[in-house]
Amino acid sequence: MEKREIEGSPERAADRGRGEDLGFPTGDVRPSLGDPDVVRGLVQDFGQAVVGVRADYNGGKLTGEQAQDSIKKLAQAYGDKFMGRDARFAALPWNSPEHLGQRIKHAVPDTGDTDPGAALFLALAASLIDVAIQYENQKLSDPAAKAHVQDAISSVSTLLLGTP
């Protein structure tokens, strides 16, 4: 059997289209927004940053207004990453307001004129802060709070990747 007839071989792939023609960056060393580990890591980083803002607010380092402004800036920055507006990340054609943005608008109610990427991360922040408040008020146990956080991170990661 010839190498170009073996499924998965580079020789067979060569006549099936090039990765860059399919929207996949090749030779790019930037983290890819099509990589599930990268996406999940970014969403977790965002969650940790939100928890850090909450801790600073609880510790008296930030006023309520400053905490809200910090979260809005974080949401915009992470939204920009996933909408393909951050050159530090290799975006796919999916990472655009026309594609991912429309999916977010269907998933996150009442985004209004807000950028869809920022709207998604604002909704995630609101969810995480709600869990934090319930945990602080002892209405959620450690395992329950962790489960809620992991569910939220998983749901957002799945949406960002465009997987069912």
Side-chain angles (χ1 to χ4, degrees), residues 34-106:
D35 182 332
D37 292 333
V38 170
V39 171
R40 186 167 180 79
L42 287 170
V43 176
Q44 287 175 331
D45 290 347
F46 174 80
Q48 289 173 345
V50 168
V51 169
V53 170
R54 177 74 183 165
D56 287 347
Y57 169 75
N58 285 343
K61 295 178 183 176
L62 295 175
T63 65
E65 188 175 316
Q66 290 170 325
Q68 287 180 349
D69 287 344
S70 293
I71 289 173
K72 286 177 185 175
K73 286 177 185 173
L74 282 168
Q76 187 63 55
Y78 278 82
D80 284 347
K81 288 175 175 111
F82 286 98
M83 289 291 111
R85 295 185 289 251
D86 187 329
R88 295 174 295 170
F89 297 89
L92 302 175
W94 166 253
N95 298 105
S96 70
E98 296 80 23
H99 296 105
L100 177 57
Q102 290 303 311
R103 178 137 184 217
I104 290 170
K105 285 181 180 182
H106 290 314

Short mmCIF file of all heavy atoms in Angstrom, two decimals, residues 34-106:
data_model
loop_
_atom_site.label_atom_id
_atom_site.label_comp_id
_atom_site.label_asym_id
_atom_site.label_seq_id
_atom_site.Cartn_x
_atom_site.Cartn_y
_atom_site.Cartn_z
N GLY A 34 -8.14 26.99 19.29
CA GLY A 34 -8.82 25.75 18.92
C GLY A 34 -8.38 24.58 19.78
O GLY A 34 -8.89 23.48 19.66
N ASP A 35 -7.41 24.82 20.67
CA ASP A 35 -6.88 23.78 21.55
C ASP A 35 -7.70 23.75 22.85
O ASP A 35 -7.70 24.74 23.59
CB ASP A 35 -5.41 24.07 21.86
CG ASP A 35 -4.74 23.03 22.72
OD1 ASP A 35 -5.42 22.36 23.52
OD2 ASP A 35 -3.51 22.91 22.62
N PRO A 36 -8.38 22.65 23.13
CA PRO A 36 -9.21 22.58 24.33
C PRO A 36 -8.45 22.88 25.63
O PRO A 36 -9.01 23.51 26.54
CB PRO A 36 -9.74 21.14 24.34
CG PRO A 36 -9.68 20.72 22.91
CD PRO A 36 -8.49 21.43 22.32
N ASP A 37 -7.19 22.47 25.71
CA ASP A 37 -6.41 22.75 26.93
C ASP A 37 -6.14 24.24 27.08
O ASP A 37 -6.19 24.78 28.20
CB ASP A 37 -5.09 21.97 26.91
CG ASP A 37 -5.31 20.47 27.05
OD1 ASP A 37 -6.32 20.05 27.64
OD2 ASP A 37 -4.45 19.71 26.55
N VAL A 38 -5.85 24.91 25.98
CA VAL A 38 -5.61 26.36 26.02
C VAL A 38 -6.89 27.08 26.43
O VAL A 38 -6.87 27.95 27.30
CB VAL A 38 -5.10 26.88 24.65
CG1 VAL A 38 -5.09 28.40 24.60
CG2 VAL A 38 -3.72 26.31 24.35
N VAL A 39 -7.99 26.70 25.82
CA VAL A 39 -9.27 27.35 26.10
C VAL A 39 -9.66 27.16 27.57
O VAL A 39 -9.97 28.12 28.27
CB VAL A 39 -10.38 26.83 25.16
CG1 VAL A 39 -11.75 27.33 25.59
CG2 VAL A 39 -10.09 27.26 23.73
N ARG A 40 -9.60 25.93 28.03
CA ARG A 40 -9.96 25.65 29.43
C ARG A 40 -9.02 26.40 30.38
O ARG A 40 -9.46 26.96 31.38
CB ARG A 40 -9.94 24.16 29.70
CG ARG A 40 -10.45 23.81 31.09
CD ARG A 40 -10.70 22.30 31.22
NE ARG A 40 -11.18 21.96 32.53
CZ ARG A 40 -12.41 22.10 32.96
NH1 ARG A 40 -13.34 22.58 32.16
NH2 ARG A 40 -12.76 21.76 34.18
N GLY A 41 -7.74 26.43 30.05
CA GLY A 41 -6.78 27.15 30.89
C GLY A 41 -7.09 28.63 30.97
O GLY A 41 -7.02 29.24 32.05
N LEU A 42 -7.45 29.24 29.84
CA LEU A 42 -7.80 30.66 29.84
C LEU A 42 -9.06 30.92 30.65
O LEU A 42 -9.13 31.91 31.40
CB LEU A 42 -7.96 31.16 28.41
CG LEU A 42 -6.68 31.34 27.61
CD1 LEU A 42 -6.98 31.60 26.14
CD2 LEU A 42 -5.83 32.46 28.18
N VAL A 43 -10.05 30.06 30.49
CA VAL A 43 -11.29 30.25 31.25
C VAL A 43 -11.02 30.09 32.76
O VAL A 43 -11.53 30.86 33.57
CB VAL A 43 -12.39 29.28 30.77
CG1 VAL A 43 -13.65 29.40 31.63
CG2 VAL A 43 -12.74 29.57 29.31
N GLN A 44 -10.18 29.13 33.13
CA GLN A 44 -9.81 28.96 34.54
C GLN A 44 -9.03 30.18 35.05
O GLN A 44 -9.27 30.64 36.17
CB GLN A 44 -8.98 27.70 34.73
CG GLN A 44 -9.80 26.44 34.63
CD GLN A 44 -8.96 25.17 34.70
OE1 GLN A 44 -7.80 25.15 34.32
NE2 GLN A 44 -9.58 24.10 35.18
N ASP A 45 -8.13 30.71 34.22
CA ASP A 45 -7.38 31.91 34.61
C ASP A 45 -8.33 33.07 34.87
O ASP A 45 -8.15 33.83 35.82
CB ASP A 45 -6.38 32.30 33.52
CG ASP A 45 -5.21 31.34 33.41
OD1 ASP A 45 -5.02 30.48 34.31
OD2 ASP A 45 -4.48 31.44 32.39
N PHE A 46 -9.33 33.21 34.00
CA PHE A 46 -10.31 34.27 34.20
C PHE A 46 -11.03 34.07 35.54
O PHE A 46 -11.19 35.02 36.31
CB PHE A 46 -11.32 34.30 33.05
CG PHE A 46 -12.43 35.29 33.28
CD1 PHE A 46 -12.24 36.63 33.03
CD2 PHE A 46 -13.67 34.87 33.74
CE1 PHE A 46 -13.26 37.55 33.25
CE2 PHE A 46 -14.69 35.78 33.96
CZ PHE A 46 -14.49 37.12 33.72
N GLY A 47 -11.45 32.84 35.79
CA GLY A 47 -12.14 32.55 37.05
C GLY A 47 -11.28 32.88 38.26
O GLY A 47 -11.77 33.46 39.24
N GLN A 48 -10.01 32.53 38.20
CA GLN A 48 -9.10 32.84 39.31
C GLN A 48 -8.94 34.34 39.48
O GLN A 48 -8.88 34.85 40.61
CB GLN A 48 -7.75 32.17 39.09
CG GLN A 48 -7.81 30.68 39.25
CD GLN A 48 -6.51 29.98 38.87
OE1 GLN A 48 -5.63 30.56 38.23
NE2 GLN A 48 -6.40 28.72 39.26
N ALA A 49 -8.89 35.07 38.37
CA ALA A 49 -8.76 36.53 38.45
C ALA A 49 -10.01 37.15 39.09
O ALA A 49 -9.91 38.07 39.91
CB ALA A 49 -8.53 37.12 37.06
N VAL A 50 -11.18 36.62 38.75
CA VAL A 50 -12.43 37.12 39.34
C VAL A 50 -12.44 36.85 40.84
O VAL A 50 -12.80 37.72 41.64
CB VAL A 50 -13.67 36.49 38.65
CG1 VAL A 50 -14.94 36.76 39.43
CG2 VAL A 50 -13.79 37.01 37.23
N VAL A 51 -12.03 35.66 41.24
CA VAL A 51 -11.97 35.33 42.67
C VAL A 51 -10.96 36.26 43.37
O VAL A 51 -11.20 36.69 44.49
CB VAL A 51 -11.60 33.84 42.86
CG1 VAL A 51 -11.28 33.53 44.31
CG2 VAL A 51 -12.76 32.96 42.38
N GLY A 52 -9.86 36.58 42.68
CA GLY A 52 -8.90 37.52 43.25
C GLY A 52 -9.49 38.90 43.46
O GLY A 52 -9.24 39.54 44.49
N VAL A 53 -10.29 39.36 42.52
CA VAL A 53 -10.97 40.66 42.66
C VAL A 53 -11.93 40.60 43.84
O VAL A 53 -11.99 41.52 44.66
CB VAL A 53 -11.71 41.06 41.36
CG1 VAL A 53 -12.61 42.27 41.58
CG2 VAL A 53 -10.71 41.34 40.24
N ARG A 54 -12.65 39.49 43.96
CA ARG A 54 -13.59 39.33 45.07
C ARG A 54 -12.85 39.36 46.40
O ARG A 54 -13.29 39.99 47.37
CB ARG A 54 -14.37 38.00 44.91
CG ARG A 54 -15.32 37.69 46.03
CD ARG A 54 -16.55 38.53 46.00
NE ARG A 54 -17.39 38.20 47.15
CZ ARG A 54 -18.38 38.94 47.55
NH1 ARG A 54 -18.71 40.03 46.89
NH2 ARG A 54 -19.09 38.60 48.60
N ALA A 55 -11.71 38.69 46.47
CA ALA A 55 -10.91 38.67 47.70
C ALA A 55 -10.41 40.08 48.04
O ALA A 55 -10.42 40.48 49.21
CB ALA A 55 -9.75 37.70 47.55
N ASP A 56 -9.97 40.82 47.03
CA ASP A 56 -9.53 42.20 47.26
C ASP A 56 -10.67 43.07 47.75
O ASP A 56 -10.49 43.93 48.62
CB ASP A 56 -8.91 42.80 46.00
CG ASP A 56 -7.54 42.21 45.69
OD1 ASP A 56 -6.95 41.53 46.56
OD2 ASP A 56 -7.05 42.44 44.56
N TYR A 57 -11.85 42.85 47.20
CA TYR A 57 -13.04 43.59 47.65
C TYR A 57 -13.36 43.24 49.11
O TYR A 57 -13.56 44.12 49.94
CB TYR A 57 -14.23 43.28 46.74
CG TYR A 57 -15.55 43.78 47.30
CD1 TYR A 57 -15.86 45.14 47.27
CD2 TYR A 57 -16.46 42.89 47.86
CE1 TYR A 57 -17.06 45.60 47.79
CE2 TYR A 57 -17.67 43.34 48.38
CZ TYR A 57 -17.96 44.70 48.34
OH TYR A 57 -19.14 45.15 48.87
N ASN A 58 -13.38 41.94 49.41
CA ASN A 58 -13.66 41.51 50.78
C ASN A 58 -12.60 42.00 51.75
O ASN A 58 -12.90 42.25 52.93
CB ASN A 58 -13.75 39.98 50.87
CG ASN A 58 -15.05 39.46 50.30
OD1 ASN A 58 -16.02 40.19 50.13
ND2 ASN A 58 -15.07 38.17 49.97
N GLY A 59 -11.36 42.12 51.29
CA GLY A 59 -10.26 42.58 52.14
C GLY A 59 -10.17 44.09 52.26
O GLY A 59 -9.25 44.60 52.91
N GLY A 60 -11.08 44.80 51.64
CA GLY A 60 -11.09 46.25 51.73
C GLY A 60 -10.08 46.94 50.82
O GLY A 60 -9.88 48.15 50.93
N LYS A 61 -9.47 46.20 49.92
CA LYS A 61 -8.49 46.79 49.01
C LYS A 61 -9.16 47.47 47.82
O LYS A 61 -8.55 48.31 47.17
CB LYS A 61 -7.53 45.72 48.49
CG LYS A 61 -6.66 45.12 49.57
CD LYS A 61 -5.77 44.04 49.00
CE LYS A 61 -4.96 43.38 50.10
NZ LYS A 61 -4.16 42.26 49.56
N LEU A 62 -10.39 47.09 47.52
CA LEU A 62 -11.15 47.67 46.42
C LEU A 62 -12.55 48.06 46.90
O LEU A 62 -13.15 47.36 47.72
CB LEU A 62 -11.33 46.65 45.28
CG LEU A 62 -10.09 46.17 44.53
CD1 LEU A 62 -10.49 45.08 43.54
CD2 LEU A 62 -9.42 47.32 43.79
N THR A 63 -13.05 49.17 46.36
CA THR A 63 -14.44 49.52 46.61
C THR A 63 -15.30 48.66 45.68
O THR A 63 -14.79 48.02 44.75
CB THR A 63 -14.70 51.01 46.30
OG1 THR A 63 -14.51 51.23 44.90
CG2 THR A 63 -13.79 51.91 47.12
N GLY A 64 -16.59 48.68 45.88
CA GLY A 64 -17.49 47.94 45.00
C GLY A 64 -17.37 48.41 43.56
O GLY A 64 -17.36 47.60 42.62
N GLU A 65 -17.25 49.72 43.37
CA GLU A 65 -17.12 50.28 42.02
C GLU A 65 -15.80 49.85 41.38
O GLU A 65 -15.76 49.48 40.20
CB GLU A 65 -17.22 51.80 42.07
CG GLU A 65 -17.28 52.45 40.71
CD GLU A 65 -17.49 53.95 40.80
OE1 GLU A 65 -18.33 54.40 41.60
OE2 GLU A 65 -16.80 54.66 40.05
N GLN A 66 -14.73 49.87 42.15
CA GLN A 66 -13.43 49.44 41.62
C GLN A 66 -13.45 47.95 41.26
O GLN A 66 -12.89 47.56 40.24
CB GLN A 66 -12.32 49.71 42.64
CG GLN A 66 -12.03 51.17 42.85
CD GLN A 66 -11.11 51.41 44.04
OE1 GLN A 66 -11.18 50.72 45.05
NE2 GLN A 66 -10.25 52.41 43.91
N ALA A 67 -14.10 47.16 42.09
CA ALA A 67 -14.20 45.72 41.80
C ALA A 67 -14.99 45.49 40.51
O ALA A 67 -14.58 44.68 39.67
CB ALA A 67 -14.85 44.99 42.97
N GLN A 68 -16.09 46.20 40.34
CA GLN A 68 -16.88 46.07 39.12
C GLN A 68 -16.07 46.50 37.90
O GLN A 68 -16.11 45.83 36.86
CB GLN A 68 -18.16 46.89 39.21
CG GLN A 68 -19.19 46.30 40.13
CD GLN A 68 -20.45 47.15 40.21
OE1 GLN A 68 -20.49 48.29 39.75
NE2 GLN A 68 -21.48 46.59 40.81
N ASP A 69 -15.34 47.60 38.02
CA ASP A 69 -14.52 48.06 36.90
C ASP A 69 -13.44 47.03 36.56
O ASP A 69 -13.17 46.78 35.38
CB ASP A 69 -13.86 49.41 37.22
CG ASP A 69 -14.84 50.57 37.20
OD1 ASP A 69 -15.97 50.41 36.66
OD2 ASP A 69 -14.50 51.64 37.73
N SER A 70 -12.84 46.44 37.57
CA SER A 70 -11.80 45.42 37.35
C SER A 70 -12.37 44.22 36.61
O SER A 70 -11.75 43.70 35.67
CB SER A 70 -11.19 44.97 38.67
OG SER A 70 -10.46 46.00 39.27
N ILE A 71 -13.56 43.80 37.02
CA ILE A 71 -14.18 42.64 36.37
C ILE A 71 -14.58 42.97 34.94
O ILE A 71 -14.41 42.15 34.03
CB ILE A 71 -15.36 42.11 37.22
CG1 ILE A 71 -14.79 41.44 38.48
CG2 ILE A 71 -16.23 41.16 36.42
CD1 ILE A 71 -15.80 41.02 39.49
N LYS A 72 -15.08 44.18 34.71
CA LYS A 72 -15.43 44.58 33.34
C LYS A 72 -14.19 44.59 32.45
O LYS A 72 -14.25 44.15 31.30
CB LYS A 72 -16.10 45.96 33.33
CG LYS A 72 -17.52 45.95 33.84
CD LYS A 72 -18.10 47.35 33.87
CE LYS A 72 -19.49 47.33 34.50
NZ LYS A 72 -20.02 48.70 34.65
N LYS A 73 -13.07 45.08 32.96
CA LYS A 73 -11.82 45.10 32.19
C LYS A 73 -11.35 43.68 31.91
O LYS A 73 -10.88 43.38 30.80
CB LYS A 73 -10.75 45.89 32.92
CG LYS A 73 -10.97 47.38 32.89
CD LYS A 73 -9.93 48.13 33.68
CE LYS A 73 -10.27 49.62 33.72
NZ LYS A 73 -9.39 50.37 34.61
N LEU A 74 -11.43 42.81 32.91
CA LEU A 74 -11.06 41.41 32.70
C LEU A 74 -11.94 40.77 31.64
O LEU A 74 -11.46 40.07 30.75
CB LEU A 74 -11.19 40.62 34.01
CG LEU A 74 -10.08 40.77 35.04
CD1 LEU A 74 -10.52 40.17 36.38
CD2 LEU A 74 -8.80 40.11 34.55
N ALA A 75 -13.25 41.00 31.74
CA ALA A 75 -14.20 40.41 30.78
C ALA A 75 -13.90 40.91 29.37
O ALA A 75 -13.93 40.12 28.41
CB ALA A 75 -15.63 40.75 31.18
N GLN A 76 -13.60 42.17 29.22
CA GLN A 76 -13.28 42.71 27.89
C GLN A 76 -11.99 42.10 27.36
O GLN A 76 -11.92 41.70 26.20
CB GLN A 76 -13.16 44.23 27.93
CG GLN A 76 -12.99 44.84 26.55
CD GLN A 76 -14.20 44.59 25.65
OE1 GLN A 76 -15.32 44.92 26.00
NE2 GLN A 76 -13.97 44.01 24.49
N ALA A 77 -10.98 41.99 28.22
CA ALA A 77 -9.69 41.42 27.79
C ALA A 77 -9.84 39.97 27.36
O ALA A 77 -9.30 39.56 26.32
CB ALA A 77 -8.66 41.55 28.91
N TYR A 78 -10.56 39.18 28.14
CA TYR A 78 -10.74 37.77 27.78
C TYR A 78 -11.68 37.63 26.58
O TYR A 78 -11.49 36.76 25.74
CB TYR A 78 -11.23 36.95 28.98
CG TYR A 78 -10.09 36.56 29.88
CD1 TYR A 78 -9.58 37.44 30.82
CD2 TYR A 78 -9.49 35.31 29.77
CE1 TYR A 78 -8.51 37.10 31.63
CE2 TYR A 78 -8.42 34.95 30.58
CZ TYR A 78 -7.93 35.86 31.50
OH TYR A 78 -6.87 35.51 32.29
N GLY A 79 -12.67 38.49 26.49
CA GLY A 79 -13.54 38.49 25.32
C GLY A 79 -12.74 38.81 24.06
O GLY A 79 -12.94 38.18 23.01
N ASP A 80 -11.83 39.77 24.16
CA ASP A 80 -10.98 40.12 23.02
C ASP A 80 -10.14 38.92 22.57
O ASP A 80 -9.97 38.69 21.38
CB ASP A 80 -10.06 41.29 23.36
CG ASP A 80 -10.79 42.63 23.37
OD1 ASP A 80 -11.94 42.71 22.88
OD2 ASP A 80 -10.19 43.60 23.88
N LYS A 81 -9.63 38.16 23.52
CA LYS A 81 -8.84 36.98 23.17
C LYS A 81 -9.67 36.04 22.29
O LYS A 81 -9.21 35.59 21.24
CB LYS A 81 -8.39 36.22 24.42
CG LYS A 81 -7.32 36.91 25.22
CD LYS A 81 -7.03 36.15 26.51
CE LYS A 81 -5.89 36.78 27.24
NZ LYS A 81 -6.12 37.43 28.44
N PHE A 82 -10.87 35.75 22.74
CA PHE A 82 -11.69 34.75 22.05
C PHE A 82 -12.39 35.28 20.81
O PHE A 82 -12.84 34.50 19.97
CB PHE A 82 -12.67 34.10 23.03
CG PHE A 82 -11.98 33.15 23.94
CD1 PHE A 82 -11.61 33.52 25.22
CD2 PHE A 82 -11.64 31.87 23.50
CE1 PHE A 82 -10.93 32.64 26.06
CE2 PHE A 82 -10.97 30.99 24.32
CZ PHE A 82 -10.61 31.38 25.60
N MET A 83 -12.46 36.58 20.66
CA MET A 83 -13.01 37.16 19.43
C MET A 83 -11.91 37.40 18.40
O MET A 83 -12.14 38.02 17.37
CB MET A 83 -13.73 38.48 19.73
CG MET A 83 -15.03 38.32 20.49
SD MET A 83 -16.32 37.55 19.49
CE MET A 83 -16.45 35.99 20.33
N GLY A 84 -10.69 36.92 18.71
CA GLY A 84 -9.59 37.01 17.76
C GLY A 84 -8.91 38.36 17.71
O GLY A 84 -8.23 38.68 16.74
N ARG A 85 -9.06 39.17 18.75
CA ARG A 85 -8.49 40.51 18.75
C ARG A 85 -7.23 40.63 19.61
O ARG A 85 -6.79 41.73 19.91
CB ARG A 85 -9.54 41.51 19.24
CG ARG A 85 -10.72 41.63 18.31
CD ARG A 85 -11.67 42.72 18.75
NE ARG A 85 -12.38 42.36 19.95
CZ ARG A 85 -13.68 42.06 20.00
NH1 ARG A 85 -14.40 42.07 18.90
NH2 ARG A 85 -14.26 41.74 21.14
N ASP A 86 -6.67 39.51 20.02
CA ASP A 86 -5.44 39.52 20.82
C ASP A 86 -4.39 38.74 20.06
O ASP A 86 -4.47 37.52 19.93
CB ASP A 86 -5.71 38.88 22.19
CG ASP A 86 -4.54 39.00 23.15
OD1 ASP A 86 -3.38 39.01 22.69
OD2 ASP A 86 -4.78 39.06 24.37
N ALA A 87 -3.41 39.46 19.53
CA ALA A 87 -2.40 38.86 18.67
C ALA A 87 -1.53 37.82 19.37
O ALA A 87 -0.80 37.08 18.71
CB ALA A 87 -1.51 39.95 18.07
N ARG A 88 -1.61 37.73 20.69
CA ARG A 88 -0.81 36.73 21.41
C ARG A 88 -1.38 35.33 21.25
O ARG A 88 -0.74 34.35 21.62
CB ARG A 88 -0.73 37.07 22.89
CG ARG A 88 0.02 38.37 23.16
CD ARG A 88 -0.05 38.76 24.61
NE ARG A 88 -1.46 39.04 24.93
CZ ARG A 88 -1.92 39.22 26.16
NH1 ARG A 88 -1.13 39.15 27.19
NH2 ARG A 88 -3.19 39.50 26.36
N PHE A 89 -2.59 35.22 20.68
CA PHE A 89 -3.25 33.93 20.52
C PHE A 89 -3.58 33.69 19.05
O PHE A 89 -3.98 34.61 18.34
CB PHE A 89 -4.52 33.87 21.37
CG PHE A 89 -4.24 33.97 22.82
CD1 PHE A 89 -4.18 35.20 23.45
CD2 PHE A 89 -3.96 32.84 23.57
CE1 PHE A 89 -3.87 35.31 24.80
CE2 PHE A 89 -3.66 32.93 24.91
CZ PHE A 89 -3.61 34.17 25.53
N ALA A 90 -3.41 32.45 18.62
CA ALA A 90 -3.74 32.07 17.25
C ALA A 90 -5.23 31.78 17.18
O ALA A 90 -5.71 30.79 17.74
CB ALA A 90 -2.93 30.84 16.83
N ALA A 91 -5.95 32.66 16.53
CA ALA A 91 -7.40 32.51 16.41
C ALA A 91 -7.74 31.74 15.14
O ALA A 91 -7.01 31.77 14.16
CB ALA A 91 -8.06 33.88 16.38
N LEU A 92 -8.86 31.07 15.19
CA LEU A 92 -9.41 30.36 14.03
C LEU A 92 -10.52 31.22 13.43
O LEU A 92 -11.00 32.16 14.08
CB LEU A 92 -9.97 29.02 14.46
CG LEU A 92 -9.00 28.06 15.16
CD1 LEU A 92 -9.73 26.82 15.63
CD2 LEU A 92 -7.86 27.69 14.23
N PRO A 93 -10.98 30.92 12.23
CA PRO A 93 -12.12 31.67 11.68
C PRO A 93 -13.33 31.66 12.63
O PRO A 93 -14.12 32.60 12.64
CB PRO A 93 -12.43 30.95 10.38
CG PRO A 93 -11.12 30.36 9.96
CD PRO A 93 -10.46 29.95 11.26
N TRP A 94 -13.46 30.62 13.43
CA TRP A 94 -14.55 30.50 14.40
C TRP A 94 -14.52 31.64 15.41
O TRP A 94 -15.56 32.09 15.89
CB TRP A 94 -14.43 29.15 15.12
CG TRP A 94 -15.25 29.02 16.35
CD1 TRP A 94 -14.79 29.01 17.64
CD2 TRP A 94 -16.67 28.86 16.45
NE1 TRP A 94 -15.83 28.87 18.52
CE2 TRP A 94 -16.99 28.77 17.82
CE3 TRP A 94 -17.68 28.80 15.52
CZ2 TRP A 94 -18.29 28.62 18.27
CZ3 TRP A 94 -18.99 28.65 15.97
CH2 TRP A 94 -19.28 28.56 17.33
N ASN A 95 -13.33 32.13 15.74
CA ASN A 95 -13.16 33.16 16.77
C ASN A 95 -13.41 34.55 16.19
O ASN A 95 -12.51 35.37 16.06
CB ASN A 95 -11.75 33.09 17.36
CG ASN A 95 -11.48 31.78 18.04
OD1 ASN A 95 -10.78 30.93 17.51
ND2 ASN A 95 -12.07 31.58 19.19
N SER A 96 -14.66 34.79 15.85
CA SER A 96 -15.05 36.08 15.28
C SER A 96 -16.46 36.43 15.75
O SER A 96 -17.22 35.55 16.15
CB SER A 96 -15.03 35.99 13.75
OG SER A 96 -16.10 35.16 13.30
N PRO A 97 -16.80 37.71 15.71
CA PRO A 97 -18.16 38.10 16.08
C PRO A 97 -19.22 37.43 15.20
O PRO A 97 -20.32 37.15 15.66
CB PRO A 97 -18.16 39.61 15.89
CG PRO A 97 -16.73 40.01 16.07
CD PRO A 97 -15.94 38.88 15.49
N GLU A 98 -18.88 37.15 13.94
CA GLU A 98 -19.85 36.54 13.03
C GLU A 98 -20.14 35.10 13.39
O GLU A 98 -21.26 34.62 13.17
CB GLU A 98 -19.35 36.61 11.58
CG GLU A 98 -19.20 38.00 11.03
CD GLU A 98 -17.91 38.69 11.48
OE1 GLU A 98 -16.93 37.99 11.83
OE2 GLU A 98 -17.90 39.92 11.51
N HIS A 99 -19.17 34.38 13.90
CA HIS A 99 -19.37 32.97 14.21
C HIS A 99 -19.58 32.76 15.71
O HIS A 99 -20.70 32.52 16.16
CB HIS A 99 -18.19 32.14 13.70
CG HIS A 99 -18.06 32.17 12.22
ND1 HIS A 99 -17.11 32.91 11.57
CD2 HIS A 99 -18.80 31.59 11.26
CE1 HIS A 99 -17.25 32.78 10.28
NE2 HIS A 99 -18.28 31.98 10.05
N LEU A 100 -18.50 32.85 16.47
CA LEU A 100 -18.59 32.66 17.92
C LEU A 100 -19.51 33.71 18.55
O LEU A 100 -20.30 33.41 19.43
CB LEU A 100 -17.20 32.71 18.55
CG LEU A 100 -17.13 32.60 20.08
CD1 LEU A 100 -17.80 31.32 20.57
CD2 LEU A 100 -15.67 32.66 20.54
N GLY A 101 -19.40 34.93 18.05
CA GLY A 101 -20.23 36.01 18.60
C GLY A 101 -21.72 35.71 18.50
O GLY A 101 -22.48 35.96 19.44
N GLN A 102 -22.13 35.15 17.37
CA GLN A 102 -23.54 34.80 17.20
C GLN A 102 -23.95 33.67 18.15
O GLN A 102 -25.05 33.68 18.69
CB GLN A 102 -23.84 34.43 15.76
CG GLN A 102 -23.78 35.61 14.82
CD GLN A 102 -24.73 36.72 15.23
OE1 GLN A 102 -25.91 36.49 15.49
NE2 GLN A 102 -24.22 37.93 15.31
N ARG A 103 -23.06 32.71 18.32
CA ARG A 103 -23.37 31.60 19.23
C ARG A 103 -23.50 32.12 20.66
O ARG A 103 -24.39 31.70 21.40
CB ARG A 103 -22.29 30.53 19.15
CG ARG A 103 -22.54 29.39 20.11
CD ARG A 103 -22.29 28.08 19.50
NE ARG A 103 -22.63 27.02 20.45
CZ ARG A 103 -21.95 25.92 20.55
NH1 ARG A 103 -20.93 25.67 19.77
NH2 ARG A 103 -22.32 25.01 21.42
N ILE A 104 -22.63 33.05 21.05
CA ILE A 104 -22.71 33.62 22.39
C ILE A 104 -24.02 34.38 22.56
O ILE A 104 -24.68 34.27 23.59
CB ILE A 104 -21.50 34.54 22.66
CG1 ILE A 104 -20.22 33.70 22.78
CG2 ILE A 104 -21.71 35.37 23.92
CD1 ILE A 104 -18.94 34.52 22.81
N LYS A 105 -24.40 35.15 21.53
CA LYS A 105 -25.65 35.93 21.63
C LYS A 105 -26.86 35.02 21.84
O LYS A 105 -27.82 35.40 22.50
CB LYS A 105 -25.84 36.80 20.39
CG LYS A 105 -24.93 38.00 20.40
CD LYS A 105 -25.15 38.87 19.18
CE LYS A 105 -24.22 40.06 19.22
NZ LYS A 105 -24.43 40.95 18.08
N HIS A 106 -26.80 33.81 21.30
CA HIS A 106 -27.90 32.86 21.51
C HIS A 106 -27.83 32.22 22.89
O HIS A 106 -28.85 31.84 23.45
CB HIS A 106 -27.89 31.77 20.44
CG HIS A 106 -28.27 32.26 19.08
ND1 HIS A 106 -29.35 33.07 18.83
CD2 HIS A 106 -27.69 32.05 17.87
CE1 HIS A 106 -29.43 33.35 17.56
NE2 HIS A 106 -28.43 32.75 16.94
#
